[in-house]
Amino acid sequence: MSVEELRFRRFRRLRRTDGLRRLVRETRLTVDTLVYPLFVVHGHGVRREVGSMPGVYHLSVDQLPYEAEELLSLGIGAVLLFGIPERKDELASEAYDPNGIVQRAVRELKRVAPELVVITDVCNCEYTSHGHCGVVREGQILNDPTLELLARTAVSHAEAGADMVAPSDMMDGRVLAIRVALDRAGFTELPILSYAAKYASAFYGPFREAAESAPAFGDRRSHQMDPANRREALREIAADIDEGADAIIVKPALAYLDVIMAAAERFDVPIAAYNVSGEYAMVKAAARNGWIEEQRIVLEVLTGIRRAGAHMIITYHAKDVARWLRGERLAAAVEQLVTA
Ligand code: PBG
């Protein structure tokens, strides 16, 4: 072998076989890190697909036992609950009604599957007649009066049996307000997963159809973050941790991988990334047209989110991914048996 040949690095040596590639792989996607969002509606026997999110359903409470069983059998251990109320009003009354849709869903899930981690989204936008995240007066979304509603909602979710509450409204001070209210109500052990860096994003479009939460006027730019800002996200996260957040969310994921990475480097709390509805819908639409390979794209996307530093991923792809990962594990086991 000539000296010239040794002057360059042969990276391909470690990429030669699947066994070698598996050994040196830096990032692993596992089902343990996935959180599956669920949309719960009133009624009975409801299982209605969301138009812009193929494979995602509106479910009535009586469907939840089947859903929980499927998730647990796939190894998915956590859900994030959203509710679509019977009626909406100015003060989002059903959000903190002990018999509201989310409260009933939590009780049912904890009854049939106590080991399933039930996380609840705490926000007003699905519950207000105007579709905004807070109390509106003269066209303005008021910060401090909204905190009271959020705190009541979080406590009522805790009373129903939620394992973790996830405020997604982006009002200032909500984590502190919720922490204080939970502690006063005796829920000192209940963790808060804060949507700390949530951007004013067009990627929430399909979710707003699913949750019937599009604002009737204006937009969410007075409280959700400007997509152009990364340093500000770090201030938001630091403030939420200070106020008592146990873990934080960066949302959306794909256009914000730099924010996930900066957050993972700077903070020592668990970081979740929300692979949101628009990201899901784009993949589904292209796959349906035969333009991309769905499985490879989804695994690549979620691996990228993990590589950026996210510990948990909230994703509508969770069930598919669990099946694919299981298939892969099975294939590897079979291969070992055959070669043994
Ligand atoms: C607010 C909320 C939204 C999402 C999660 N919680 C929508 C919004 O802020 O308008 C979006 C999730 C998604 O797009 O998948 N309750």
Side-chain angles (χ1 to χ4, degrees):
M1 188 187 298
S2 73
V3 178
E4 274 74 19
E5 273 179 87
L6 292 174
R7 283 220 184 105
F8 59 87
R9 304 281 302 271
R10 293 197 180 271
F11 295 106
R12 294 180 57 190
R13 284 178 193 137
L14 290 176
R15 295 177 197 149
R16 212 166 42 82
T17 67
D18 188 49
L20 284 168
R21 289 192 293 270
R22 271 167 54 205
L23 269 180
V24 299
R25 188 157 294 146
E26 297 174 36
T27 310
R28 267 168 235 280
L29 194 60
T30 74
V31 72
D32 303 316
T33 59
L34 303 178
V35 179
Y36 187 63
L38 285 179
F39 296 97
V40 191
V41 296
H42 286 277
H44 200 84
V46 183
R47 194 175 181 86
R48 197 171 44 238
E49 196 168 30
V50 177
S52 53
M53 300 175 74
V56 173
Y57 295 82
H58 280 171
L59 301 171
S60 50
V61 173
D62 60 287
Q63 300 296 306
L64 295 179
Y66 310 111
E67 194 68 19
E69 193 184 303
E70 186 188 10
L71 290 168
L72 289 175
S73 75
L74 287 169
I76 297 168
V79 294
L80 175 60
L81 283 190
F82 295 96
I84 293 117
E86 195 120 71
R87 58 195 163 70
K88 303 175 186 243
D89 59 30
E90 293 271 304
L91 288 178
S93 309
E94 196 179 317
Y96 40 87
D97 181 339
N99 269 316
I101 188 66
V102 165
Q103 291 81 352
R104 289 177 44 212
V106 172
R107 283 197 292 270
E108 182 62 4
L109 283 171
K110 295 311 290 184
R111 184 182 72 79
V112 297
E115 69 274 41
L116 187 70
V117 174
V118 176
I119 309 167
T120 56
D121 185 87
V122 175
C123 192
N124 294 309
C125 63
E126 294 106 289
Y127 302 90
T128 48
S129 38
H130 43 63
H132 280 293
C133 307
V135 178
V136 172
R137 229 165 275 151
E138 288 158 17
Q140 301 291 314
I141 304 160
L142 302 183
N143 195 84
D144 297 13
T146 302
L147 300 182
E148 162 76 21
L149 304 186
L150 295 167
R152 278 171 74 177
T153 302
V155 169
S156 83
H157 291 177
E159 284 167 346
D163 294 297
M164 181 143 77
V165 290
S168 68
D169 53 284
M170 287 298 278
M171 295 297 122
D172 292 321
R174 80 280 171 67
V175 174
L176 181 62
I178 289 172
R179 185 70 270 163
V180 168
L182 287 173
D183 289 353
R184 280 197 189 134
F187 296 104
T188 53
E189 302 305 308
L190 197 90
I192 299 174
L193 169 64
S194 162
Y195 287 76
K198 176 173 176 180
Y199 288 87
S201 170
F203 283 100
Y204 308 149
F207 172 95
R208 291 182 188 168
E209 178 192 333
E212 297 167 8
S213 65
F217 59 88
D219 54 42
R220 306 216 200 291
R221 282 179 237 214
S222 79
H223 50 294
Q224 298 181 347
M225 285 183 53
D226 182 337
N229 297 354
R230 181 178 61 227
R231 281 148 39 84
E232 187 188 0
L234 301 177
R235 292 203 295 279
E236 277 278 4
I237 297 167
D240 279 13
I241 294 172
D242 250 14
E243 291 179 28
D246 299 278
I248 64 100
I249 303 175
V250 173
K251 174 185 176 191
L254 275 191
Y256 301 86
L257 293 177
D258 59 323
V259 179
I260 296 172
M261 185 171 159
E265 282 176 353
R266 173 97 50 115
F267 302 104
D268 56 11
V269 298
I271 313 270
Y274 200 143
N275 174 222
V276 299
S277 56
E279 300 173 33
Y280 176 83
M282 290 195 306
V283 170
K284 283 288 182 188
R288 282 200 159 183
N289 274 302
W291 293 340
I292 56 168
E293 282 177 64
E294 181 172 356
Q295 175 171 345
R296 289 189 58 204
I297 291 268
V298 170
L299 293 176
E300 185 173 334
V301 160
L302 298 188
T303 299
I305 295 171
R306 290 270 293 155
R307 194 189 59 238
H311 307 104
M312 302 173 256
I313 306 176
I314 305 164
T315 179
Y316 305 97
H317 295 293
K319 285 186 190 175
D320 287 336
V321 170
R323 283 189 202 102
W324 297 330
L325 291 179
R326 167 169 299 183
E328 217 168 76
R329 272 203 306 278
L330 259 177
V334 168
E335 204 175 307
Q336 264 185 358
L337 272 177
V338 171
T339 50

